[in-house]
Amino acid sequence: QSALTQPRSVSGSPGQSVTISCTGTSSDVGGYNYVSWYQQHPGKAPKLIISDVSKRPSGVPDRFSGSKSDNTASLTISGLQAEDEADYYCCSYAGTYTLVFGGGTKLTVL
Amino acid sequence: EVQLVQSGAEVKKPEEFLRISCKGSGYSFTGYWIGWVRQMPGKGLEWMGAIYPGDSDTRYSPSFQGQVTMSADKSISTAYLQWSSLRVSDSAMFYCARLLRGEYLDYWGQGTLVTVSS
């Protein structure tokens, strides 16, 4: 199972919107509506911010949204805040109790 | 409150045995799969596999099959990840996380840093 493809880095100014893409195949992203996204600040454990392509767990700001088209999922962060600076990982279901992660994207808030 | 608490950092030598732990609380430990994720220094997240503490059913990622062993003791709500003979290349941070419906990881442990060096 190959890792999903994410841009290595993205950046934006406070208040702007950024979108992080996550490209897989028909065996993972394209085959199921089970894409999740995780935020990881330096030295911290990852935190779930999106499940099932577009669902936000309780407590996650609605500035975070997810979508999917064919084999590519996307995470959009609107109204960027300094605290959003972190690494972001997409993840897809790829079969029974099998997950595959993206390589991660470093978000810099300018 | 759902919590996963992992054992502390380890420093080991090559070829040594190691078992790290992940203790769950605040939910029915036997009713959810526990997944393990590796993060090598400065790198991304990698799926290692998962175990169902209810019956110890285990599914390994092909990349980790035969390299590690996952186990669980449901009597103490604890999952384990072990190496029979460590390699320097096993140095990494390891996270356990609760796997919901086999689809995503909703609660994560704080991570266990494993350092293997001669």
Side-chain angles (χ1 to χ4, degrees):
Chain A
Q1 198 73 43
S2 299
L4 308 177
T5 301
Q6 297 181 232
R8 295 196 63 135
S9 64
V10 298
S11 62
S13 299
Q16 289 187 331
S17 294
V18 294
T19 296
I20 300 171
S21 62
C22 169
T23 301
T25 69
S26 59
S27 296
D28 38 63
V29 175
Y32 313 94
N33 287 322
Y34 300 142
V35 176
S36 52
W37 290 88
Y38 303 87
Q39 177 191 61
Q40 186 179 34
H41 286 108
K44 300 294 186 181
K47 172 190 173 185
L48 175 70
I49 56 172
I50 295 287
S51 68
D52 300 325
V53 175
S54 60
K55 296 180 180 178
R56 278 179 290 104
S58 174
V60 174
D62 59 6
R63 303 184 293 103
F64 293 88
S65 62
S67 62
K68 193 192 84 164
S69 177
D70 297 326
N71 296 339
T72 298
S74 298
L75 172 71
T76 297
I77 309 171
S78 58
L80 268 179
Q81 299 183 2
E83 68 209 50
D84 298 334
E85 185 162 295
D87 293 326
Y88 292 84
Y89 294 90
C90 64
C91 179
S92 176
Y93 177 85
T96 307
Y97 299 105
T98 298
L99 300 180
V100 58
F101 286 98
T105 299
K106 180 177 179 60
L107 168 62
T108 300
V109 180
L110 302 171
Chain B
E1 177 194 10
V2 174
Q3 282 194 313
L4 294 170
V5 178
Q6 298 186 232
S7 49
E10 301 273 3
V11 179
K12 307 291 279 187
K13 296 186 185 308
E15 300 183 13
E16 288 190 330
F17 170 89
L18 174 65
R19 189 176 75 168
I20 63 175
S21 66
C22 169
K23 182 174 176 61
S25 62
Y27 73 101
S28 174
F29 188 73
T30 55
Y32 295 83
W33 288 73
I34 291 288
W36 288 94
V37 175
R38 182 176 79 174
Q39 187 168 37
M40 300 185 76
K43 302 298 183 181
L45 306 176
E46 299 175 87
W47 176 249
M48 300 180 71
I51 184 166
Y52 187 70
D55 62 6
S56 290
D57 187 9
T58 309
R59 311 292 173 90
Y60 294 96
S61 163
S63 299
F64 292 92
Q65 179 82 46
Q67 308 305 308
V68 297
T69 301
M70 297 175 191
S71 61
D73 185 340
K74 60 185 179 183
S75 69
I76 54 172
S77 300
T78 300
Y80 300 99
L81 181 66
Q82 72 178 51
W83 295 259
S84 58
S85 181
L86 284 162
R87 306 173 185 177
V88 172
S89 59
D90 290 320
S91 297
M93 180 72 81
F94 294 89
Y95 293 100
C96 67
R98 192 175 75 166
L99 181 62
L100 212 59
R101 302 198 306 269
E103 300 161 14
Y104 61 92
L105 301 159
D106 63 344
Y107 289 93
W108 293 66
Q110 83 276 21
T112 296
L113 181 64
V114 173
T115 303
V116 184
S117 174
S118 54

